[in-house]
Amino acid sequence: MRRLLLALPFALLPLALTAHAHADHDHEHDHAHGSLGAHEHGVAHLNAVLDGNTLELELESPAMNLVGFEHVAQSDADKAKVAAVRAQLEQPLKLFGLSAAAGCKESDQELESPLFGDAPAKDDDGDGDEHEHGHSDIHAHYRFECAKPEQLASLDLAPLFKTYPSTQKIQLQLIGPNGQKGVEATPNSPRITF
């Protein structure tokens, strides 16, 4: 299921080596293997891989960006907010602008977060987890099958920024027909070309 995304770290190794040179294995700054980047409020991370007619998107965001808090929901209002965000994430075609001409249909999705009742992910040392530091992330993985992938020239993140205004930037790693690249999207510049 995650065949393409499992290959992504190897394809992006040159980029990772540069970033890794500036970071320690400090839990406060680097939640390496289990996540796509450091936990920073206002910043989300997205991997996008277009291979043949398959598009995979993997989003990781601090819960603060999407829900407005990172603690396990106790109050009815907090529980309702978590349920609403989960319902939004279950409709990725409303969050990620894909060209209608490409004919992309969602074929699979996985949503994970301690806020959704999932067990916390272990860190890369296996001796603890990021949640011991008071951080909760939301992880979403989507797979789409596109009838005409050649029509998929860009990815518009404007709907995602509009739905979650606390997200100020999205750091992307893209692999597509034109190679691989790392880019940053913001509410003022939300469209990314493959």
Side-chain angles (χ1 to χ4, degrees):
M1 167 178 230
R2 294 188 178 194
R3 180 173 23 125
L4 294 174
L5 289 173
L6 288 174
L8 189 63
F10 296 107
L12 298 174
L13 189 56
L15 296 170
L17 290 176
T18 303
H20 187 65
H22 301 316
D24 297 324
H25 285 294
D26 182 11
H27 298 289
E28 292 296 324
H29 301 291
D30 184 13
H31 302 154
H33 296 95
S35 66
L36 302 175
H39 183 101
E40 181 182 347
H41 293 178
V43 179
H45 299 269
L46 179 67
N47 286 334
V49 178
L50 179 58
D51 183 29
N53 69 336
T54 301
L55 172 66
E56 291 198 53
L57 301 175
E58 186 175 34
L59 174 71
E60 180 127 0
S61 175
M64 182 66 73
N65 297 353
L66 310 182
V67 183
F69 56 86
E70 295 193 339
H71 58 271
V72 174
Q74 299 295 327
S75 72
D76 288 343
D78 284 355
K79 289 177 183 178
K81 182 67 175 171
V82 169
V85 166
R86 183 173 187 130
Q88 291 167 333
L89 291 170
E90 289 173 345
Q91 300 179 50
L93 290 173
K94 291 185 178 180
L95 298 174
F96 301 99
L98 305 175
S99 168
C104 297
K105 306 280 187 219
E106 182 184 355
S107 62
D108 194 19
Q109 78 171 240
E110 288 180 48
L111 302 175
E112 298 174 0
S113 175
L115 273 62
F116 300 153
D118 297 323
K122 295 293 180 188
D123 67 11
D124 54 339
D125 296 327
D127 60 358
D129 63 70
E130 65 189 64
H131 311 287
E132 292 173 0
H133 300 290
H135 299 303
S136 290
D137 286 341
I138 294 177
H139 177 88
H141 176 248
Y142 306 102
R143 176 181 287 155
F144 304 89
E145 298 301 326
C146 302
K148 296 181 179 178
E150 66 279 1
Q151 297 293 319
L152 192 61
S154 65
L155 176 63
D156 186 2
L157 299 175
L160 188 78
F161 284 116
K162 184 177 179 184
T163 303
Y164 305 113
S166 293
T167 302
Q168 297 303 309
K169 76 178 153 180
I170 300 174
Q171 296 175 340
L172 289 100
Q173 298 295 329
L174 289 95
I175 296 180
N178 298 320
Q180 66 185 36
K181 62 182 171 180
V183 294
E184 186 173 281
T186 64
N188 294 327
S189 182
R191 186 175 295 274
I192 305 303
T193 304
F194 274 100

